Amino acid sequence: AQTVTQSQPEMSVQEAETVTLSCTYDTSESDYYLFWYKQPPSRQMILVIRQEAYKQQNATENRFSVNFQKAAKSFSLKISDSQLGDAAMYFCAYSNGGATNKLIFGTGTLLAVQP
Amino acid sequence: DTGVSQDPRHKITKRGQNVTFRCDPISEHNRLYWYRQTLGQGPEFLTYFQNEAQLEKSRLLSDRFSAERPKGSFSTLEIQRTEQGDSAMYLCASSPNSPLDYEQYFGPGTRLTVT
């Protein structure tokens, strides 16, 4: 069965600095999708960035980028120029696509941004 | 706002009572998911609908749980004879049926407290 592991329960970063959140996963599939979701306090979960496993190029969305290491099964999220609004729980998620495309989530990393 | 909506946002019930939650997906999305999120954990997949057909159910979904999506529009999740272990956030998500757009859009969730 596929699993997703986030080994950092909490992280803290100074405003305007850069922080990297770690994620590893386990799968025997060769084709799959990886996601980072952000869940602000008392607000709904939103997609931050996604990566298709068949793409070698790391995904980038403005201040957010990933370091996707397929052989190592690692998928880290880098947030540059951190802003107060980045404070949230961040979840790494995996999907093998397939008929349902259901998501398998890690346990999350709570990111605090210090002014 | 045409995002995913869920009702109620909060529900407190006594053990043994039945509860029903509603999810209204984004109107053109024919895929609908239910997840359960307990404190300190990532969301866990419960069930999946494509249009009105329930195509997958997790083993987490005991026989006290039932979900429907009549006419492929809104969905309901019912829990019968609630137990304290059912206390959690129940999240609904929807996505289009396009293989090119597999992002899941989440609702705000229904927080269930069983006393």
Side-chain angles (χ1 to χ4, degrees), chain A:
Chain A
Q2 296 93 357
T3 58
V4 177
T5 302
Q6 293 180 250
S7 58
Q8 303 158 318
E10 297 181 13
M11 292 283 283
S12 182
V13 63
Q14 291 292 127
E15 200 174 1
E17 296 295 309
T18 296
V19 64
T20 298
L21 309 185
S22 301
C23 173
T24 58
Y25 58 94
D26 188 25
T27 183
S28 58
E29 305 283 341
S30 59
D31 199 14
Y32 48 87
Y33 307 91
L34 296 165
F35 308 85
W36 279 98
Y37 276 88
K38 172 185 179 181
Q39 188 176 41
S42 302
R43 293 179 60 188
Q44 58 209 78
M45 198 163 335
I46 57 172
L47 181 66
V48 174
I49 197 165
R50 62 188 176 199
Q51 174 82 42
E52 293 85 350
Y54 64 84
K55 291 185 177 179
Q56 293 188 342
Q57 187 171 3
N58 289 326
T60 300
E61 289 286 344
N62 300 314
R63 297 183 295 108
F64 298 87
S65 61
V66 300
N67 183 6
F68 172 49
Q69 301 289 326
K70 191 172 184 179
K73 296 180 182 175
S74 170
F75 182 61
S76 61
L77 173 70
K78 186 171 81 171
I79 307 174
S80 303
D81 187 25
S82 297
Q83 301 176 0
L84 295 177
D86 295 334
M89 182 72 86
Y90 286 82
F91 291 99
C92 179
Y94 164 99
S95 170
N96 64 3
T100 66
N101 196 34
K102 64 186 177 187
L103 295 171
I104 298 169
F105 287 86
T107 51
T109 295
L110 182 62
L111 178 66
V113 180
Q114 306 300 329

Side-chain angles (χ1 to χ4, degrees), chain A residues 44 52 100-103, chain B residues 33 35 37 56 102 104 106:
Chain A
Q44 58 209 78
E52 293 85 350
T100 66
N101 196 34
K102 64 186 177 187
L103 295 171
Chain B
Y33 305 81
Y35 294 86
Q37 184 178 19
E56 185 170 344
Y102 39 82
Q104 292 185 25
F106 283 82

